[in-house]
Amino acid sequence: MEPAVIAHMEERLGRIRGSVPGSRHAHWAVVFSEVPSRKLSRMPVSYKAKRLVSVWTVGLSFVPLVSPQTHHKLRLELFTLCDPQDRFEAERVMGAVAEAIDTTATPILRGQVIGPLPPEAGVHAVYASMPKMFDTDFPTCNTEYGPVAMVWIFPIGPSEEKFILKEGWKKFEERLFHRFDIDPSDWGRLSSLSLKHIRRCRGISRCRS
C-alpha cells in the first residue's frame, strides 16, 4: 500500500482505527477513521455539530484503471463520511462499490450514479463527487506511481438520481452545495429534491428550494 496515500488521507480523515472485516483483498482494504474536530470546524454549518467517521479504501489505487470515455489510465481511492451509527451500513456499500471497481477495472467518475442498489444496502444509490469540504489539495495525491484521485461517495435518493439524469451532474452539485440544510454525510436523509420540483425545473437558475 502506498504510504503517501495513507498519509494524505489520514491528514484529513483521521488516523485509521481499523479495517473492515472481510474487506481485505490482494491489494486493497476498506478502513475507518474518526474525522478530527479541527477538520469539522472548517466544514459547512450542517457538519459542525456532528461527530463524523469516514470509511475509505486503501490500496485501490495500486492498480491503474482505464476510463471508458478517454481511455486514460486513472488511479483512485474512495471515501465517505457518515454518522458513527451509520458506519456499518457505509462499510457494506463502500466495500461493494470498491469490489465492483476492482472486478471490472473501470474507474468511477465524478457525476456518476451507482444504483439503484439492492434493498439490503439501506440506501437507494450513491453518487461520486470531489471532496469539496476539505482543502484544495485533497482531491489529488501525488505518488511515485502518478496522481491518485480522491473520490467522495455519498448516498442519494430516487428524486436526486432522476434530477442528475435529467439536468446533469453539474446542476445537481450546484444546487446541493449551495444549500446549507443538506448534509451529504447523513445516510438517513430524505432526498433534497422532490419529484414535483424536478418536473417543473427546467434550469437551475429557475429552481427554488
Side-chain angles (χ1 to χ4, degrees):
M1 296 181 182
E2 174 57 53
V5 172
I6 295 177
H8 185 87
M9 300 287 269
E10 285 192 326
E11 183 180 350
R12 281 86 176 178
L13 303 177
R15 293 185 64 82
I16 294 174
R17 294 286 184 174
S19 61
V20 178
S23 74
R24 288 187 174 275
H25 292 257
H27 60 271
W28 64 272
V30 177
V31 301
F32 64 91
S33 61
E34 294 183 6
V35 182
S37 57
R38 69 180 184 279
K39 295 297 182 182
L40 293 179
S41 66
R42 302 176 186 174
M43 293 185 185
V45 64
S46 59
Y47 296 88
K48 290 183 179 179
K50 301 180 65 174
R51 282 182 58 223
L52 287 181
V53 298
S54 183
V55 178
W56 39 291
T57 60
V58 175
L60 196 62
S61 60
F62 183 76
V63 176
L65 308 169
V66 179
S67 168
Q69 284 84 9
T70 65
H71 304 293
H72 292 161
K73 290 184 178 181
L74 305 172
R75 296 177 186 270
L76 56 82
E77 298 287 354
L78 312 175
F79 81 96
T80 193
L81 301 172
C82 63
D83 186 275
Q85 67 181 8
D86 295 323
R87 196 191 93 202
F88 298 113
E89 181 179 354
E91 289 174 351
R92 286 196 304 272
V93 173
M94 292 292 284
V97 173
E99 180 106 37
I101 291 173
D102 187 33
T103 301
T104 62
T106 303
I108 181 172
L109 305 176
R110 184 181 185 184
Q112 189 170 339
V113 174
I114 301 95
L117 299 175
E120 58 268 25
V123 294
H124 171 74
V126 292
Y127 177 82
S129 184
M130 290 180 61
K132 297 173 69 71
M133 82 300 289
F134 288 99
D135 58 276
T136 55
D137 292 331
F138 187 27
T140 304
C141 175
N142 292 311
T143 73
E144 62 179 297
Y145 304 109
V148 175
M150 305 296 150
V151 182
W152 180 23
I153 302 293
F154 58 82
I156 59 171
S159 61
E160 291 169 320
E161 180 186 17
K162 187 172 181 179
F163 184 92
I164 294 164
L165 294 175
K166 187 179 178 112
E167 304 291 341
W169 67 267
K170 290 183 179 180
K171 288 186 177 181
F172 171 68
E173 290 199 5
E174 182 179 344
R175 179 170 177 77
L176 183 75
F177 295 121
H178 282 79
R179 281 185 56 179
F180 295 106
D181 60 322
I182 296 174
D183 180 0
S185 70
D186 182 359
W187 279 63
R189 71 183 177 86
L190 298 175
S191 290
S192 61
L193 302 165
S194 69
L195 292 174
K196 181 187 292 186
H197 178 89
I198 292 171
R199 283 196 293 268
R200 74 168 183 269
C201 177
R202 299 305 304 167
I204 202 71
S205 61
R206 297 198 294 273
C207 292
R208 294 294 181 267
S209 301

